[in-house]
């Protein structure tokens, strides 16, 4: 077998065909796609380094680890963290990115562990992986080699879209009542509600609006990730790339001509993956986040979609939208001076509380 380390994200494009064949064989989601990983690493190269491991056997790609290295600080202490691409503090996440390996190829994963061991890191973080042979075997090998650090359990929620019937009937009783009340209120006051699929050429404009509204909404509550221009750049770039390839969606709800809510995401086969949902504070009383989902699920069904993934996170509203939960796999491991620190100091609690992908 042959191992190579890709530190220039642009080089990943040369491996796209083989990467995608491996991803489908390994059961990886669209967040593990060559496009997603490559675009993410390119967008954040100012603060994150690419450490993608490729394992080949007689010219065939049998395993790939889409990893990234960055420095994370706990107080005044800098710590080198090796994580999955899309799992870096303060940066937009890649929902269910994971290590990819041909099922049964423990030898390839063993070689991957050797490459990871040679890298300079103190904390290895691989979270929110969809359950698969690759994820389970990788998780076990990491746990066998290094000091496992507690990782918060995370879930993913998926809505199954019926062929017929009212979409609103998927939602909980209280949610249905509130949505119908909101729509009646808008109708009674003569407001016009418009649902749009945002065209490719309008994505930069739409993402700028999303970022501005996110800052307005979350700024007073501790800050917004969209004060970081790298996050704005990545969202705009990946949505444009996905739309141009026919594997993305961008939707918005207008109330009286003003953007009230937006939803950006990706799709593959008969499944959609919601990525970012935003809303305008001026329309909070009308629950625009729920309206964008209601109209969006109707549009998805019309285009043949039957599964809508609400994204990673344990938020209660996802079950109220009819989502069925899936528990995701994850592991954090430490080594070197960090390992005794995790046991003997409060650093473990600080990492569990403060370290994790952006939401």
């Amino acid at each position: 077998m042959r191992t190579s380390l890709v530190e220039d994200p642009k080089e990943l494009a040369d491996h796209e065909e083989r990467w995608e064949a491996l991803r489908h064989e390994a059961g990886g989601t669209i967040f593990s796609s060559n496009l997603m990983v490559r675009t993410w690493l390119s967008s954040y190269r100012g603060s994150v380094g690419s450490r993608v491991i490729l394992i080949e056997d007689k010219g065939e790609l049998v395993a790939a680890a889409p990893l990234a290295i960055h420095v994370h600080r706990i107080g005044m202490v800098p710590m080198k963290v090796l994580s999955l691409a899309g799992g870096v503090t303060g940066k937009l996440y890649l929902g269910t990115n994971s290590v990819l390996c041909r099922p049964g190829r423990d030898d390839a994963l063993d070689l991957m562990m050797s490459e990871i061991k040679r890298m300079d890191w103190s904390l290895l973080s691989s979270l929110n992986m969809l359950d698969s042979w690759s994820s389970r075997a990788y998780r076990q090998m990491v746990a066998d080699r290094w000091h496992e650090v507690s990782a918060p359990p995370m879930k993913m929620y998926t809505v199954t879209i019926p062929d017929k019937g009212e979409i609103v009937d998927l939602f909980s009783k209280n949610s249905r009542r509130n949505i119908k009340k909101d729509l009646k209120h808008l109708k009674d006051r003569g407001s016009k509600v418009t649902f749009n699929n945002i065209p490719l050429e309008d994505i930069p404009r739409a993402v700028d609006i999303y970022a501005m509204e996110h800052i307005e909404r979350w700024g007073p509550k501790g800050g917004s990730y969209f004060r970081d221009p790298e996050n704005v750049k990545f969202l705009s770039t990946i949505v444009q790339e996905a739309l141009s390839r026919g594997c993305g969606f961008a939707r918005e709800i207008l109330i009286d001509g003003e953007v009230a809510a937006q939803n950006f995401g990706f799709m593959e086969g008969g499944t959609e993956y919601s990525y970012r949902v935003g809303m305008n504070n001026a329309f909070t009383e009308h629950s625009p986040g729920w309206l964008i989902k209601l109209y969006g699920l109707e549009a998805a069904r019309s285009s043949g979609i039957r599964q809508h993934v609400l994204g990673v996170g344990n938020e209660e509203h996802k079950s109220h939208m009819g989502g069925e939960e899936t528990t995701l796999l994850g592991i954090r491991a430490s080594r070197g001076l960090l390992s005794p620190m995790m046991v003997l100091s409060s650093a473990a609690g600080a990492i569990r509380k403060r370290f994790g992908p952006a939401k």
Side-chain angles (χ1 to χ4, degrees):
M1 289 187 290
R2 175 177 177 270
T3 303
S4 56
L5 182 65
V6 181
E7 298 183 281
D8 183 353
K10 293 180 181 178
E11 293 180 14
L12 291 177
D14 298 334
H15 304 279
E16 184 164 12
E17 184 175 347
R18 297 189 307 157
W19 181 293
E20 290 303 287
L22 172 63
R23 177 171 72 88
H24 290 295
E25 187 176 1
T29 71
I30 196 169
F31 291 105
S32 299
S33 68
N34 188 282
L35 172 65
M36 288 279 191
V37 172
R38 185 175 79 241
T39 304
W40 192 93
L41 289 169
S42 296
S43 298
Y44 293 111
R45 64 186 311 168
S47 54
V48 177
S50 171
R51 296 293 186 273
V52 178
I53 301 170
L54 303 178
I55 311 290
E56 298 174 87
D57 188 1
K58 299 178 182 178
E60 291 188 15
L61 187 63
V62 294
L67 301 174
I69 191 80
H70 71 285
V71 175
H72 179 75
R73 290 184 178 274
I74 298 180
M76 298 297 292
V77 181
M79 175 176 61
K80 287 189 176 179
V81 181
L82 184 66
S83 69
L84 290 169
V88 174
T89 305
K91 308 301 181 183
L92 299 191
Y93 68 94
L94 294 182
T96 47
N97 189 17
S98 61
V99 165
L100 306 173
C101 185
R102 182 172 292 175
R105 291 301 301 262
D106 296 84
D107 55 343
L109 283 179
D110 275 327
L111 190 54
M112 183 185 293
M113 293 299 111
S114 297
E115 291 301 309
I116 290 174
K117 182 179 179 180
R118 276 194 279 268
M119 295 183 192
D120 183 15
W121 56 269
S122 296
L123 182 70
L124 175 64
S125 179
S126 303
L127 303 180
N128 304 330
M129 298 182 292
L130 199 65
D131 192 359
S132 67
W133 183 90
S134 298
S135 299
R136 292 192 300 273
Y138 168 80
R139 191 195 184 288
Q140 187 60 54
M141 287 191 180
V142 170
D144 290 343
R145 286 163 174 77
W146 295 291
H147 177 77
E148 185 173 355
V149 181
S150 177
M154 295 297 289
K155 297 176 181 178
M156 178 181 78
Y157 288 82
T158 303
V159 175
T160 299
I161 305 173
D163 293 334
K164 298 178 181 179
E166 296 289 333
I167 292 295
V168 73
D169 290 339
L170 291 170
F171 302 159
S172 67
K173 182 178 179 180
N174 287 341
S175 300
R176 292 197 302 271
R177 183 176 65 248
N178 291 336
I179 289 173
K180 291 176 180 178
K181 183 176 67 176
D182 289 330
L183 289 171
K184 184 177 185 301
H185 183 207
L186 287 166
K187 182 179 179 181
D188 289 346
R189 78 176 199 179
S191 292
K192 181 180 180 181
V193 179
T194 308
F195 171 81
N196 291 328
N197 287 305
I198 306 170
L200 176 61
E201 60 272 17
D202 279 353
I203 294 303
R205 182 271 309 171
V207 170
D208 284 345
I209 291 175
Y210 177 92
M212 178 188 68
E213 292 181 349
H214 195 278
I215 292 170
E216 290 177 354
R217 184 170 179 78
W218 294 105
K221 301 178 182 180
S224 166
Y225 293 115
F226 287 90
R227 292 189 185 278
D228 182 345
E230 285 188 331
N231 286 332
V232 180
K233 173 187 175 184
F234 171 68
L235 182 59
S236 181
T237 301
I238 194 58
V239 173
Q240 289 181 78
E241 288 281 0
L243 285 182
S244 67
R245 291 182 175 218
C247 61
F249 66 85
R251 299 163 180 156
E252 63 184 4
I253 289 283
L254 305 180
I255 296 179
D256 295 331
E258 186 175 355
V259 175
Q262 298 168 308
N263 190 188
F264 303 104
F266 313 102
M267 55 190 179
E268 186 170 56
T271 301
E272 282 188 345
Y273 299 84
S274 180
Y275 189 57
R276 303 298 306 189
V277 178
M279 57 170 282
N280 187 335
N281 275 348
F283 297 100
T284 300
E285 63 176 313
H286 303 302
S287 306
W290 284 84
L291 294 181
I292 191 70
K293 283 301 183 186
L294 174 63
Y295 285 83
L297 288 171
E298 290 174 346
R301 178 167 65 180
S302 297
S303 62
I305 298 294
R306 289 298 177 265
Q307 300 284 327
H308 181 90
V309 179
L310 294 169
V312 173
N314 302 331
E315 297 90 346
E316 187 177 359
H317 73 265
K318 293 177 179 177
S319 60
H320 290 306
M321 286 185 177
E324 296 183 4
E325 69 177 48
T326 299
T327 300
L328 302 174
L329 299 181
I331 188 169
R332 288 178 181 150
S334 63
R335 69 177 183 183
L337 292 177
L338 185 62
S339 291
M341 283 176 59
M342 304 303 292
V343 177
L344 300 175
S345 75
S346 60
I351 287 179
R352 284 196 297 271
K353 182 177 180 181
R354 297 182 55 191
F355 183 83
K359 296 234 181 131

